[in-house]
Amino acid sequence: MAHARRCQTPAVAHAPGKLLLLDSASLYFRAFFGVPTSISAPDGSPVNAVRGLLDMIARLVTDHRPTRLVACWDDDWRPAFRVEAIPSYKAHRVAADGDEEVPDLLSPQVPVIAEVLAALGIARVGAAGFEADDVIGTLVAREAAAAQPAPVDVVTGDRDLFQLVDDARRVRVLYTVRGIKDLEVVDQARLAERYAVTSGPAYADMAVLRGDPSDGLPGVPGIGEKTAAQLVGRYGSLDGLLAAVADGDATLSPTQRRRLLDAAAYLEVAPAVVRVAADAPVGDVDDRLPAVVADPERLVALAERWGLASSVRRVVDALVAVA
């Protein structure tokens, strides 16, 4: 654990570099299901999600060499403003106690992840009343408004964040569908190839129409992904499509127009649910890749308590090599 005591490179100033934003819950859920629960602490407690996430971070830092890194957090996994708009939003994931339904062996690992990130000095950021997606959307918007905006890579297993893809702003999604070792790079060309939409906002509009059962979003009955993409492409946006419906545009089939009219109440509220916030209450963030471990003694104690020495060492070695 020598490296856990101190990374020798001095801290760097906030520089353009590259900003890496982690959809933390998406990654630790993937780690939990991808690493055997037999991976345990000395007392037998499972730490597969902790170990898996730390190894992911080490690999991401090594492969993508960011100068800035933020672990974005769900301070509210089911925000009230989304539930008020669409009550079915994530309703199937609500446990008996009202919290999110999380595997019993994963729940105790989440606070450990938070403690280890803090000891390492990796920024962990949430926003009251908002999801990690909204934190990510806000940080992306903030970066775009900077005097010298940096390229941004968003690491997630959630397709909802494809709406942030923007070649002009150098915003990509590194999609974990094939795992951390073989991330799918999603840019506008990939959106066009895979979903037949040409931009992040167009993806969001398509997602409103298509819906998403995994999030409890019904979509417009009878309009699937392919048709949704065609309609958004033809009319330029969801707003353009709805204007065509209102105007009785002859290029819209009677069946499609009827389906869209029948779903008018849903379409009025769904965009605010599907689109990630760009103005969540996220304070100032010191997102510099830590060149010095924030709390070496605490990090050593956590590594020993939870049997994380090898994973912690990999993360610290990656930080040293990049910083």
Side-chain angles (χ1 to χ4, degrees):
M1 290 297 295
H3 287 310
R5 293 194 297 273
R6 185 173 178 83
C7 304
Q8 298 301 320
T9 308
V12 297
H14 189 87
K18 178 193 286 185
L19 173 59
L20 195 65
L21 300 176
L22 309 182
D23 182 2
S24 302
S26 171
L27 298 183
Y28 64 63
F29 266 91
R30 177 169 288 275
F32 177 78
F33 288 109
V35 178
T37 54
S38 57
I39 302 298
S40 59
D43 67 357
S45 303
V47 290
N48 56 322
V50 187
R51 287 266 298 269
L53 179 64
L54 291 174
D55 290 345
M56 287 179 183
I57 292 173
R59 182 71 183 240
L60 288 164
V61 170
T62 299
D63 290 353
H64 297 279
R65 305 187 71 80
T67 57
R68 297 155 59 198
L69 174 66
V70 180
C72 300
W73 211 255
D74 277 327
D75 274 11
D76 190 337
W77 69 279
R78 192 171 180 249
F81 74 92
R82 290 194 167 101
V83 176
E84 288 168 4
I86 299 180
S88 62
Y89 182 67
K90 294 186 178 179
H92 59 295
R93 301 188 207 172
V94 179
D97 62 2
D99 289 334
E100 183 178 14
E101 194 168 40
V102 176
D104 290 342
L105 297 181
L106 172 57
S107 293
Q109 298 187 55
V110 177
V112 179
I113 290 169
E115 284 191 86
V116 174
L117 292 177
L120 284 165
I122 292 174
R124 182 178 67 88
V125 179
F130 289 86
E131 299 176 62
D133 288 11
D134 302 310
V135 174
I136 291 170
T138 298
L139 293 177
V140 167
R142 186 176 295 178
E143 192 62 33
Q148 291 182 288
V152 181
D153 283 343
V154 177
V155 187
T156 184
D158 185 353
R159 294 189 302 168
D160 292 345
L161 288 167
F162 289 178
Q163 64 184 276
L164 297 176
V165 167
D166 188 331
D167 288 358
R169 294 180 172 182
R170 297 183 295 169
V171 179
R172 312 183 302 177
V173 168
L174 305 182
Y175 188 42
T176 62
V177 67
R178 295 193 297 260
I180 290 293
K181 294 181 181 179
D182 188 18
L183 293 164
E184 179 181 348
V185 177
V186 180
D187 54 14
Q188 287 181 221
R190 181 56 178 157
L191 289 180
E193 176 188 8
R194 174 65 180 83
Y195 299 101
V197 294
T198 57
S199 70
Y203 182 90
D205 287 346
M206 181 268 286
V208 168
L209 294 166
R210 176 199 65 198
D212 186 349
S214 69
D215 279 341
L217 298 175
V220 178
I223 294 183
E225 186 168 277
K226 183 177 180 180
T227 301
Q230 290 172 343
L231 291 172
V232 171
R234 184 189 308 166
Y235 296 100
S237 66
L238 179 60
D239 287 343
L241 170 61
L242 296 179
V245 172
D247 293 343
D249 192 312
T251 60
L252 196 64
S253 77
T255 298
Q256 289 173 340
R257 185 168 186 273
R258 176 179 51 78
R259 286 171 174 166
L260 291 163
L261 286 171
D262 288 347
Y266 163 78
L267 291 170
E268 184 176 354
V269 298
V273 176
V274 172
R275 293 170 185 158
V276 301
D279 58 354
V282 177
D284 293 336
V285 180
D286 183 358
D287 58 14
R288 292 172 297 179
L289 198 72
V292 176
V293 169
D295 191 340
E297 292 183 5
R298 182 61 178 155
L299 186 60
V300 170
L302 288 167
E304 292 176 353
R305 163 70 178 85
W306 297 105
L308 303 172
S310 59
S311 292
V312 166
R313 186 176 296 112
R314 279 189 284 273
V315 174
V316 175
D317 285 348
L319 297 175
V320 169
V322 173

